[in-house]
């Protein structure tokens, strides 16, 4: 998508994540716009799911809160539709294969195109089995964002060669969550990826402070922050506008 491509042109991208419906539909819209005002380049919107296997406790709990508040996939599309009335910021959905499959691949990605979704991240869709999804989402101009974990060189190269939009480079093995230290050789993996593709690389999983953001932004094309943002929303509920803005601004200022 053009919007995603523009994000990485001549600048580093800050990508923020939140869970749709936590604490409610209206606040999700407000919080996405607050992050944009604070300098976020792209927003990942998590579709609540009962079994988010890639997520740590912080985002798992956000999923439970959102589902308790009756957030649905159709309501997520409503959120995107409302945002598109006032903002052109790139938006990617983060979800699992089960909700997309049950919605119907064609119906789901047609709806994505209608409301203005730029990409989708599906952590439990292995690269080797992704063609059944990519063939359909590309028809509707939605990028299937590839995730690359610290894994074998051969597999990294294979995924990178076919990536579109941007590459989500997982900083550490395991689930999402704030980490005080990230020891993976991210620089080496980025160099490997860049040897076969010009697709931008954004690093995520665990990043939560200025030092980490500055470090990984110097290595990759962007950074992704999720659990720390979701935690601010958890702590402040419907009053998270200013704390969220201040936090994201403090990170985008060092990039």
């Amino acid at each position: 998508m053009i919007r995603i491509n523009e994000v990485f042109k001549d600048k580093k991208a800050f990508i923020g994540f939140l869970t749709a419906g936590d604490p409610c539909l209206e606040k999700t819209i407000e919080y996405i716009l607050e992050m944009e005002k604070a300098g976020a380049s792209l927003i990942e919107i998590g579709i609540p799911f009962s079994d988010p296997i890639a997520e740590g406790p912080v985002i798992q709990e956000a999923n439970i809160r959102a589902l308790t508040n009756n957030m649905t996939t159709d309501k997520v599309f409503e959120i995107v539709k409302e945002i598109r009335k006032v903002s052109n910021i790139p938006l990617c959905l983060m979800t699992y294969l089960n909700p997309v499959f049950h919605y119907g691949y064609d119906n789901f990605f047609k709806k994505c195109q209608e409301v203005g979704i730029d990409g989708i991240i599906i952590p439990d869709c292995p690269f080797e089995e992704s063609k059944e999804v990519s063939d359909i989402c590309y028809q509707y101009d939605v990028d299937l964002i590839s995730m690359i974990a610290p894994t074998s060189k051969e597999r990294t190269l294979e995924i990178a060669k076919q990536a579109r939009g941007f590459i989500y480079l997982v900083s550490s093995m395991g689930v999402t969550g704030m980490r005080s230290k990230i020891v993976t050789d991210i620089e080496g993996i980025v160099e490997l990826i860049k040897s076969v593709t010009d697709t931008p690389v954004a690093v995520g999983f665990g990043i939560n402070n200025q030092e980490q953001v500055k470090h990984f932004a110097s290595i990759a094309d962007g950074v992704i922050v999720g659990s720390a943002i979701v935690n601010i929303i958890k702590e402040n509920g419907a009053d998270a506008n200013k704390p969220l803005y201040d936090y994201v601004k403090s990170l985008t200022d060092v990039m």
Side-chain angles (χ1 to χ4, degrees):
M1 288 291 289
I2 294 171
R3 276 190 291 251
I4 292 179
N5 294 338
E6 290 296 320
V7 161
F8 295 94
K9 277 191 176 175
D10 305 319
K11 60 182 177 180
K12 302 292 184 173
F14 179 91
I15 299 172
F17 168 90
L18 49 57
T19 301
D22 179 31
C24 63
L25 183 150
E26 292 78 14
K27 281 295 173 181
T28 299
I29 295 168
E30 287 183 26
Y31 294 164
I32 289 170
L33 296 176
E34 285 291 346
M35 286 195 278
E36 182 182 19
K37 284 181 203 168
S41 315
L42 183 152
I43 304 296
E44 295 175 8
I45 305 172
I47 299 179
F49 182 51
S50 57
D51 188 24
I53 58 172
E55 313 299 355
V58 171
I59 297 178
Q60 282 185 18
E61 290 169 9
N63 275 261
I64 292 168
R65 290 193 297 271
L67 290 170
T68 303
N69 294 336
N70 299 314
M71 179 54 51
T72 64
T73 300
D74 280 326
K75 288 180 180 178
V76 175
F77 287 133
E78 285 180 32
I79 288 170
V80 176
K81 196 173 179 182
E82 288 302 309
I83 291 166
R84 283 287 170 251
K85 291 179 181 178
V86 294
S87 173
N88 206 36
I89 188 169
L91 299 171
C92 291
L93 296 178
M94 169 80 87
T95 186
Y96 290 82
L97 205 51
N98 187 283
V100 182
F101 175 78
H102 280 284
Y103 201 94
Y105 290 147
D106 198 76
N107 288 336
F108 184 91
F109 291 112
K110 182 179 181 183
K111 192 72 178 176
C112 285
Q113 185 183 50
E114 286 174 1
V115 299
I117 286 293
D118 301 282
I120 186 166
I121 305 161
I122 309 177
D124 64 341
C125 180
F127 169 71
E128 292 77 11
E129 300 170 24
S130 61
K131 203 168 188 305
E132 66 176 90
V133 178
S134 62
D135 281 353
I136 300 174
C137 72
Y138 294 159
Q139 288 177 28
Y140 291 102
D141 297 322
V142 178
D143 284 333
L144 178 62
I145 306 302
S146 297
M147 298 184 83
I148 293 180
T151 183
S152 72
K153 177 179 177 180
E154 292 73 20
R155 193 167 190 274
T156 295
L157 291 172
E158 190 179 359
I159 297 171
K161 285 174 186 174
Q162 297 187 42
R164 290 175 59 161
F166 70 92
I167 291 168
Y168 190 132
L169 177 55
V170 177
S171 71
S172 312
M173 299 302 284
V175 296
T176 59
M178 294 171 279
R179 289 169 170 80
S180 58
K181 197 175 223 182
I182 298 170
V183 297
T184 308
D185 178 20
I186 297 298
E187 189 167 3
I189 300 173
V190 171
E191 285 179 6
L192 183 64
I193 291 169
K194 294 290 187 183
S195 71
V196 295
T197 183
D198 292 327
T199 303
V201 181
V203 182
F205 270 51
I207 298 171
N208 64 93
N209 60 47
Q210 286 183 319
E211 184 182 354
Q212 291 170 336
V213 166
K214 189 174 183 180
H215 173 67
F216 289 113
S218 71
I219 294 170
D221 302 296
V223 296
I224 303 165
V225 176
S227 292
I229 288 170
V230 174
N231 199 52
I232 288 172
I233 294 170
K234 174 190 174 182
E235 291 177 348
N236 296 275
D239 300 311
N241 296 62
K242 188 175 188 308
L244 189 56
Y245 173 89
D246 290 344
Y247 174 68
V248 172
K249 186 75 164 60
S250 75
L251 300 182
T252 58
D253 279 348
V254 300
M255 295 179 69

